[in-house]
Amino acid sequence: MRHRDHALDILRIIACIMVVVMHSPIPSAQANGPFLTALSLFTAPCIGLFFMVSGALLLPVNTDYNTFIKRRLSKVVMPTLIWSAVYIGASAYASGDYSKIWHSLLSLPFSPQGSSVLWFMYTLIGLYLLAPILGTWAATASRKELQTVLALWCMTLCYPIIELFATVNETSTGILYYFNGYAGYFLLGYYLKRFPGAVSTRMALPVAIVGVAILYYTRTRGIEIDFYRMFWYLSIFIAAMCVTVWNTVTAICRHLDTKEKDGEGIWLYINRLSDITFGIYLIHILVMRYWLWNLGWIQTIQSYALQTLVVAVVTLAVSAAACALLSLTPLSTAAIAYRPKARCARVSG
């Protein structure tokens, strides 16, 4: 039994915190625009980090296609269905409109329902379906071959910049259509695990800084720019941030005292928190938007930044506590994809 990679645990925790913080601001006419822009920018690496960790853990796939799909889907399909049903019910109750419930239930195999954050689950399932095919090639690909495919993916991340000067075809007839999307992060995580430091921080950090500078310049000069096109998940600037965070965490972990065995000392808490981040992602919107946002003392906090911080901290604490309790019950696997045996040290699966 191999030891688990603690850096991946920490990266998953960081990504989970970013997601919760990103969703914490309460919609308000008095919302602080610059604060929200900065918050969105610096938490945007969350999704890329999640997919990179998944790629590092799962690739290459060492079982046949059907065995892998059965094993992986058994972990994510049931939690997706359960929480979709919960959010569909909660949304209908909050709005008083129950007429669309059946339509939502029938739509479950094809699109996220109940809460927009569940899009992540559908994308993850899609990557699981692709992983055995991608993993078979990745296992035998040379470093240069991996670099070539990742370079083509990075080109698609630059489309928002390129289209300022040229016409870009991003439809299914586009030359790089099949290189676009979140599979690039999946492969990037595997690449950085197989070749640590292959994409240096000295290369990634300047790209991230340029992105921050462009955003600051356009905002201060009143230049109109589509934030969610230029600086969102599938952006070269956010990908550079993901690599910077990844390299920083892995470098720190290399210098930490890791003589303690898995499941002992501080790693006991880090491993356990990492194991329930999946559940925290699924439950945090229910805690935040259907309960916490409606509390009077939360709404009376005058400072928008402080209010957001309080919402994030309380949401994380309550969601983690709820998932920790669920992990002790027979519902742990079905509800939050947590298997008690997952405490055993592993680097994949």
Side-chain angles (χ1 to χ4, degrees), residues 35-113:
F35 170 75
L36 287 177
T37 298
L39 189 74
S40 296
L41 178 67
F42 290 108
T43 57
C46 58
I47 296 300
L49 289 172
F50 269 134
F51 287 135
M52 288 171 70
V53 169
S54 293
L57 288 171
L58 295 177
L59 298 180
V61 175
N62 297 316
T63 61
D64 64 89
Y65 188 91
N66 288 338
T67 299
F68 175 83
I69 294 304
K70 182 179 179 180
R71 180 183 301 166
R72 299 313 304 179
L73 294 191
S74 68
K75 290 189 65 176
V76 297
V77 169
M78 187 56 68
T80 301
L81 292 176
I82 288 175
W83 287 100
S84 293
V86 169
Y87 283 116
I88 289 171
S91 178
Y93 177 79
S95 65
D97 182 5
Y98 298 90
S99 62
K100 298 180 180 179
I101 287 182
W102 281 112
H103 180 270
S104 296
L105 292 175
L106 291 173
S107 300
L108 282 176
F110 311 104
S111 63
Q113 301 295 316

Side-chain angles (χ1 to χ4, degrees), residues 13 16-17 19-20 50 83 87 272-287 315-324 335-336:
I13 292 169
C16 183
I17 293 172
V19 167
V20 174
F50 269 134
W83 287 100
Y87 283 116
R272 185 67 185 280
L273 183 57
S274 174
D275 287 338
I276 63 173
T277 52
F278 194 77
I280 293 174
Y281 182 92
L282 291 169
I283 199 175
H284 80 279
I285 291 295
L286 185 68
V287 172
T315 299
L316 280 166
V318 173
S319 299
C323 290
I336 59 172

Side-chain angles (χ1 to χ4, degrees), residues 10-218:
I10 294 174
L11 285 165
R12 190 152 48 187
I13 292 169
I14 291 173
C16 183
I17 293 172
M18 285 181 172
V19 167
V20 174
V21 172
M22 175 189 290
H23 294 152
S24 292
I26 299 177
S28 170
Q30 288 74 43
N32 186 311
F35 170 75
L36 287 177
T37 298
L39 189 74
S40 296
L41 178 67
F42 290 108
T43 57
C46 58
I47 296 300
L49 289 172
F50 269 134
F51 287 135
M52 288 171 70
V53 169
S54 293
L57 288 171
L58 295 177
L59 298 180
V61 175
N62 297 316
T63 61
D64 64 89
Y65 188 91
N66 288 338
T67 299
F68 175 83
I69 294 304
K70 182 179 179 180
R71 180 183 301 166
R72 299 313 304 179
L73 294 191
S74 68
K75 290 189 65 176
V76 297
V77 169
M78 187 56 68
T80 301
L81 292 176
I82 288 175
W83 287 100
S84 293
V86 169
Y87 283 116
I88 289 171
S91 178
Y93 177 79
S95 65
D97 182 5
Y98 298 90
S99 62
K100 298 180 180 179
I101 287 182
W102 281 112
H103 180 270
S104 296
L105 292 175
L106 291 173
S107 300
L108 282 176
F110 311 104
S111 63
Q113 301 295 316
S115 174
S116 59
V117 298
L118 294 176
W119 74 267
F120 173 83
M121 304 301 298
Y122 285 75
T123 305
L124 184 63
I125 290 172
L127 288 174
Y128 284 169
L129 295 174
L130 179 65
I133 302 170
L134 183 63
T136 299
W137 169 78
T140 58
S142 67
R143 180 167 179 167
K144 287 187 176 180
E145 288 173 324
L146 288 166
Q147 288 173 343
T148 299
V149 172
L150 287 171
L152 292 172
W153 172 65
C154 285
M155 182 67 72
T156 70
L157 301 183
C158 294
Y159 276 171
I161 302 172
I162 297 173
E163 68 182 8
L164 296 175
F165 312 100
T167 300
V168 178
N169 180 7
E170 295 186 62
T171 70
S172 58
T173 61
I175 190 170
L176 295 180
Y177 176 77
Y178 296 102
F179 289 86
N180 197 7
Y182 295 100
Y185 280 118
F186 208 63
L187 185 62
L188 179 61
Y190 166 74
Y191 176 67
L192 291 178
K193 181 191 73 171
R194 182 172 163 184
F195 303 107
V199 184
S200 68
T201 303
R202 285 182 295 179
M203 181 189 304
L205 184 58
V207 177
I209 292 174
V210 167
V212 174
I214 291 174
L215 181 60
Y216 176 79
Y217 180 82
T218 55

